[in-house]
Structure formats: C-alpha cells, structure tokens
Amino acid sequence: MKYQHVRFQSFGYELPPEVITSGDIEERLVPVYEQLKLPQGRLEPMSGIKERRLWPKGTRPSDGAVLAGEKAISSSGIPPGELDCLIFTSVSRDMMEPATASFVHNQLGLPDRCLVFDISNACLGFIKGMVTLANMIELGQVKAGIVVGCESSKRLVDTTINKLLKAPDVTRNKLKLAFATLTLGSGAVAAVLTQSSLSQDGHKLLGGVTRAASQHNGLCRIEADA
C-alpha cells in the first residue's frame, strides 16, 4: 500500500542491562564440546555475534516495551492522550491472555478509547505492526498510534543449553539445530506514527509491502515449553 498521509514521528529503544558473550555460552557448553571433540571459539565467528543482552530475571516483555514506548512518546511531541492505537508486536509476551498490549497501554497511561491488540509474526512482527498502523492512519481510522515490541530470550537460551547438557545422545547435528537459538538476544523498541496533519517534522512513510513464503515455515521453529 502507498501512503500519502503517514509520518514516522519518533523512535525509541531500550537495551537490557545484562550482557552475555558468545564465549560465556560456550563455557557453559564445555561438556558438550568435549563429548563431540569440538574446539571452543566457534559461535562468534560463525554468527558474527560477540555479545547479546538479556533482561534481569522477573522482567516482563511489557516492562521493556513501556521503557521504549516512553522514550518514543517523549520525543514525538504527541501527547499520550492523542494516541488512538497501540500494537504490541513481539513473540515474547507476558502471558497467553490478556494481550500484552493491554499491560503496556495501562502503564503508559493511554486513553481508554485507544485501540489495543497484539500482532505476533517472529522477526517480522514489528514491521507488520508498522504497516498495520500506517494502513489505519492512511484510511483515516486513527490519527496517531504507537507500535511497541520487546523480546526476552533468557529462558529460551537457558532451556536450550540445559537440554544440550542433559541429552544422552547429543550429536553435532543436534548442536547445529540449536545454533540459531544460541544467537538470540533481548531488547525493546517503539515507534510513533501519525497522520500528516499532526506532524510538522516527521519523516514521510512512502508505503508498505507484505509477502509470504509460508512453505519455508520449518526454517526457524521454537517448540512450546509444554
């Protein structure tokens, strides 16, 4: 869809305070490396990732999203009371029900007329959220809104490492299949989009395109905890 009346008004992000390096992860996997006769120092060169960030234990995805959202709203020049829509877009969520967006909405103090819902589509979630909000603005359904996201990978990384350590039949192939999970990090982001009538200096959003190649859905899978 092409846009004539949508502005990218502001952006905000929050980095978790805990840092874990690729070397730290490999130290925890020493028994697996020794069993498979693999040298350490493989994860960083293969992934290009030296370190990743993790939230402290007990931090909920809504907590990080609120921090990023506060920054985006503060720099937008748009009063919170003028935001008509909030979309939470991450895989991580506080709980199955209600929508994590409802927790973020409450903590940000947005108006009760604000439309609130979640969109989850892995790495594409935030972009899909922006396109969805931009479509609504272009169609005149809302004048301004905010898209937020916060991923929390600590439990997933820890679970993957523990499964590898406890596996009685760990193989190089099983380690390879776990590779993507071992690269995951955490963080939060937010963006405020507005109708052009509300924005004097926002960047014009030209358009958005979506494509699906769902036949490749097996490339990255994370099974349910249960």
Side-chain angles (χ1 to χ4, degrees):
M1 185 170 181
K2 295 182 179 180
Y3 306 127
Q4 295 294 325
H5 308 292
V6 183
R7 298 293 185 269
F8 187 104
Q9 187 66 14
S10 64
F11 176 81
Y13 70 91
E14 184 73 19
L15 292 178
E18 295 183 3
V19 178
I20 179 172
T21 68
S22 292
D24 293 333
I25 290 178
E26 289 192 315
E27 282 294 326
R28 295 175 62 181
L29 289 171
V30 164
V32 174
Y33 275 50
E34 290 180 345
Q35 183 176 342
L36 300 177
K37 297 180 172 56
L38 294 172
Q40 290 192 52
R42 300 163 56 88
L43 187 54
E44 182 179 338
M46 291 176 65
S47 66
I49 299 172
K50 181 177 182 179
E51 64 182 37
R52 70 281 289 143
R53 299 295 187 100
L54 298 176
W55 299 107
K57 185 178 180 180
T59 303
R60 302 193 308 177
S62 63
D63 296 330
V66 167
L67 294 174
E70 288 174 338
K71 292 180 178 179
I73 294 172
S74 177
S75 61
S76 72
I78 306 297
E82 293 189 21
L83 295 177
D84 304 314
C85 179
L86 181 146
I87 308 174
F88 181 85
T89 61
S90 293
V91 174
S92 302
R93 60 190 71 183
D94 286 18
M95 54 191 67
M96 290 297 294
E97 182 70 23
T100 303
S102 66
F103 297 106
V104 181
H105 172 273
N106 182 59
Q107 292 185 68
L108 288 178
L110 302 187
D112 56 10
R113 59 176 172 75
C114 180
L115 182 63
V116 177
F117 61 95
D118 289 359
I119 288 178
S120 181
N121 192 21
C123 301
L124 299 176
F126 192 77
I127 296 297
K128 290 292 179 65
M130 287 183 60
V131 169
T132 299
L133 178 56
N135 290 344
M136 296 169 66
I137 293 173
E138 186 70 17
L139 292 171
Q141 296 172 334
V142 300
K143 289 186 176 181
I146 182 170
V147 182
V148 298
C150 176
E151 299 295 0
S152 181
S153 63
K154 183 179 180 66
R155 185 175 65 174
L156 184 56
V157 172
D158 287 344
T159 298
T160 300
I161 291 174
N162 290 334
K163 283 184 177 179
L164 289 170
L165 291 173
K166 295 177 181 179
D169 57 345
V170 64
T171 63
R172 292 194 178 199
N173 187 55
K174 287 186 176 181
L175 181 60
K176 182 179 179 180
L177 292 174
F179 178 82
T181 304
L182 298 177
T183 67
L184 295 177
S186 305
V189 65
V192 173
L193 304 183
T194 71
Q195 193 178 75
S196 56
S197 63
L198 294 179
S199 176
Q200 300 299 319
D201 53 5
H203 296 283
K204 186 176 181 180
L205 196 61
L206 299 179
V209 177
T210 60
R211 293 289 185 268
S214 56
Q215 68 271 27
H216 302 300
N217 63 66
L219 291 177
C220 183
R221 292 185 177 182
I222 298 172
E223 301 295 337
D225 290 343

